[in-house]
Amino acid sequence: MDNSDTLHDILLSDRPLSLEHCRDFVSHPSCGGLCFFVGTIRDVNLGETVTHLEFEAYAPMAVKEMRKIAVAARDRFGLHAVALHHRTGDLAIGDTAVIVAVSSKHRKPAFEGCEFVIDELKKHVPIWKKEFRPDGSHWLNARP
Amino acid sequence: MDNSDTLHDILLSDRPLSLEHCRDFVSHPSCGGLCFFVGTIRDVNLGETVTHLEFEAYAPMAVKEMRKIAVAARDRFGLHAVALHHRTGDLAIGDTAVIVAVSSKHRKPAFEGCEFVIDELKKHVPIWKKEFRPDGSHWLNARP
Amino acid sequence: MVELAYATMRIQCFGVAREIAGGSSITLDQVEGATVADLRQRLVATYPAFGELVSFAIARNEEYARDEEQIMAGDELVIIPPVAGG
Amino acid sequence: MVELAYATMRIQCFGVAREIAGGSSITLDQVEGATVADLRQRLVATYPAFGELVSFAIARNEEYARDEEQIMAGDELVIIPPVAGG
């Protein structure tokens, strides 16, 4: 597989994300397996009603960290291409917060690589979300 | 989660499959994680150039088996919804042969359930593919 | 002889089974009352190429049939060579 | 006194750090030459609420900084409270 840096597509945007765009980016005649993860805004978190979320990012570093994860996933799982798109700003219930798309010759590394990307994103990428409930708001994960 | 039979969407079709349709079917406000597998036609298999593939199905049983797998995946992984679409007929390189889409509250069961569905499909669903190479054709998996 | 004609059963073929059979179905008599294992043996005896496959199953009324099941009049029978979906 | 003014550094704040700091940045003097560990200690001393977070990291020039790294003039410093992307 080509190891060119052009085979990852990183986006941090305040506009709606496109699954079709990510699919088209990773598709390739040599790949038989595409795996996607789409993270959406849930109406309930830890038993509490959620009205909407606000995403904030330290954008230049977030994009760098997203790129590192995409490169690591391609190397580690022998993926062909990785697209990693993340929203910022105000998101409503059902909106898409993140899309991970990966392509691979076979399906097993596609699943593993896709899960690796979203797991790493949640650990390292400087993006924060504030959850709004009917009775107030708070930044998620911040306090014990 | 609702265990209604309406929460799986099974399709066997000789027309192009739609990732967007599958995404819309499984999306739900209570679900934070959607996972998709898209199987596409590769230009090379076992080192040999492939020109196109022909898919044949024992349709009524294939649909029944696909439905069983969707129901089993929902039960086993606590998924909200499953869409499982498969093509029949002549497919060109890059065409989509299968789409699995699942939704879940959290991402881990979404990945596990999606992989379970495609693994089971490849084991049990009566669909066959004939691979066409420049020098001839043969039914895949048939002979040792 | 009318009874014998009634007793013939059609077994549908897909994929490589269609190539081996030279058509989309095989017609056999004296299948009623036989077990699925019997049918599989007869198929291999009649078309040795079935024995060269990785495996093949019999579907009875749109379900995978176990070897010990007995075939009944009116059953829909299908040869299921190794599947390759996805 | 001009030198002291030059020595102040701005530390950017996001998410809960912005709420704790009461603004999008904190300005501290005598940060140049200090280690990242020193900076973290000073932040907790000045804003005890930082000590109540699950954790917080310091980013230096758009990379996670190790505790022993020394801060230099011109560094871009950012407080990274627990991330929550996805």
Side-chain angles (χ1 to χ4, degrees):
Chain A
M1 299 251 164
D2 185 349
N3 276 302
S4 159
D5 273 356
T6 59
L7 291 176
H8 46 75
D9 176 30
I10 307 298
L11 178 70
L12 186 70
S13 170
D14 60 0
R15 305 297 305 278
L17 306 182
S18 165
L19 182 58
E20 298 71 47
H21 174 99
C22 292
R23 189 254 325 268
D24 292 346
F25 181 81
V26 299
S27 294
H28 190 270
S30 72
C31 292
L34 315 182
C35 184
F36 303 85
F37 177 79
V38 174
T40 55
I41 308 302
R42 287 194 299 147
D43 57 4
V44 170
N45 188 22
L46 303 173
E48 301 283 342
T49 299
V50 175
T51 58
H52 65 285
L53 289 182
E54 177 192 325
F55 282 80
E56 184 170 302
Y58 171 28
M61 180 172 163
V63 167
K64 276 190 183 179
E65 292 289 323
M66 289 162 78
R67 190 174 296 124
K68 282 182 198 171
I69 293 168
V71 169
R74 285 188 60 225
D75 288 351
R76 186 160 165 174
F77 300 97
L79 305 177
H80 172 69
V82 175
L84 178 51
H85 289 194
H86 204 294
R87 271 294 291 278
T88 56
D90 292 333
L91 272 76
I93 304 304
D95 281 353
T96 295
V98 63
I99 299 175
V100 182
V102 313
S103 56
S104 171
K105 280 191 188 177
H106 301 290
R107 70 187 188 282
K108 190 83 190 166
F111 278 104
E112 290 175 351
C114 190
E115 193 165 15
F116 172 86
V117 169
I118 186 66
D119 286 353
E120 292 296 303
L121 178 134
K122 285 172 177 272
K123 283 187 252 176
H124 304 301
V125 177
I127 297 176
W128 301 274
K129 57 179 169 240
K130 193 173 191 173
E131 185 176 273
F132 291 80
R133 299 175 180 175
D135 63 349
S137 66
H138 68 289
W139 291 97
L140 288 174
N141 299 2
R143 293 195 168 83
Chain B
M1 298 251 167
D2 185 348
N3 275 303
S4 160
D5 273 355
T6 60
L7 290 177
H8 45 76
D9 176 30
I10 307 299
L11 179 71
L12 186 69
S13 170
D14 60 1
R15 305 296 307 278
L17 307 181
S18 165
L19 182 59
E20 299 71 47
H21 175 98
C22 293
R23 190 254 323 271
D24 292 347
F25 181 81
V26 300
S27 294
H28 190 269
S30 72
C31 292
L34 316 182
C35 185
F36 303 84
F37 176 77
V38 175
T40 55
I41 308 303
R42 286 194 299 145
D43 57 3
V44 171
N45 188 24
L46 304 174
E48 301 284 342
T49 300
V50 175
T51 59
H52 65 288
L53 289 182
E54 177 192 326
F55 283 79
E56 184 170 301
Y58 172 28
M61 179 172 165
V63 167
K64 277 190 184 179
E65 291 290 321
M66 289 161 77
R67 190 176 293 122
K68 284 182 197 171
I69 293 168
V71 169
R74 286 187 60 224
D75 288 350
R76 184 159 167 176
F77 300 97
L79 305 177
H80 171 69
V82 174
L84 178 51
H85 289 193
H86 203 294
R87 270 296 291 279
T88 57
D90 291 333
L91 273 75
I93 305 305
D95 280 354
T96 294
V98 62
I99 299 175
V100 182
V102 313
S103 56
S104 172
K105 280 190 188 176
H106 301 290
R107 71 186 186 280
K108 188 83 189 167
F111 277 104
E112 290 175 349
C114 189
E115 193 165 14
F116 171 85
V117 169
I118 186 66
D119 286 352
E120 292 296 303
L121 178 134
K122 285 172 177 273
K123 280 187 255 178
H124 304 302
V125 178
I127 297 175
W128 300 275
K129 56 180 171 240
K130 192 172 191 174
E131 185 176 272
F132 290 80
R133 299 176 180 175
D135 62 350
S137 67
H138 68 289
W139 291 97
L140 288 174
N141 297 6
R143 294 196 167 83
Chain C
M1 299 315 280
V2 171
E3 281 205 333
L4 244 180
Y6 269 74
T8 63
M9 289 187 80
R10 198 170 69 93
I11 301 130
Q12 293 181 63
C13 300
F14 289 94
V16 73
R18 195 159 36 76
E19 288 191 354
I20 290 171
S24 63
S25 68
I26 291 170
T27 304
L28 293 177
D29 56 19
Q30 296 177 307
V31 173
E32 257 184 73
T35 63
V36 167
D38 294 337
L39 175 59
R40 289 164 47 89
Q41 277 186 332
R42 280 190 60 193
L43 287 168
V44 173
T46 316
Y47 302 89
F50 281 126
E52 293 158 16
L53 298 178
V54 171
S55 68
F56 73 98
I58 300 294
R60 183 172 161 251
N61 303 327
E62 304 179 357
E63 305 275 350
Y64 284 103
R66 294 181 311 280
D67 268 354
E68 63 274 22
E69 286 181 33
Q70 203 173 30
I71 294 163
M72 321 250 274
D75 279 353
E76 177 171 313
L77 298 173
V78 178
I79 299 168
I80 309 283
V83 302
Chain D
M1 301 313 275
V2 171
E3 281 205 333
L4 244 181
Y6 268 75
T8 63
M9 288 185 81
R10 197 171 71 92
I11 299 131
Q12 293 180 63
C13 299
F14 289 93
V16 73
R18 195 160 36 75
E19 287 190 356
I20 291 171
S24 62
S25 68
I26 291 169
T27 303
L28 293 176
D29 57 18
Q30 297 178 306
V31 173
E32 256 185 72
T35 63
V36 167
D38 293 338
L39 174 59
R40 289 164 48 90
Q41 279 187 332
R42 280 190 60 192
L43 287 168
V44 173
T46 314
Y47 301 89
F50 281 125
E52 293 159 15
L53 298 178
V54 170
S55 68
F56 73 97
I58 300 294
R60 181 171 162 253
N61 302 326
E62 304 178 357
E63 305 275 352
Y64 284 103
R66 295 182 310 278
D67 267 355
E68 64 274 22
E69 285 182 34
Q70 202 173 30
I71 294 162
M72 322 250 271
D75 279 352
E76 179 171 310
L77 298 172
V78 179
I79 299 168
I80 310 282
V83 302

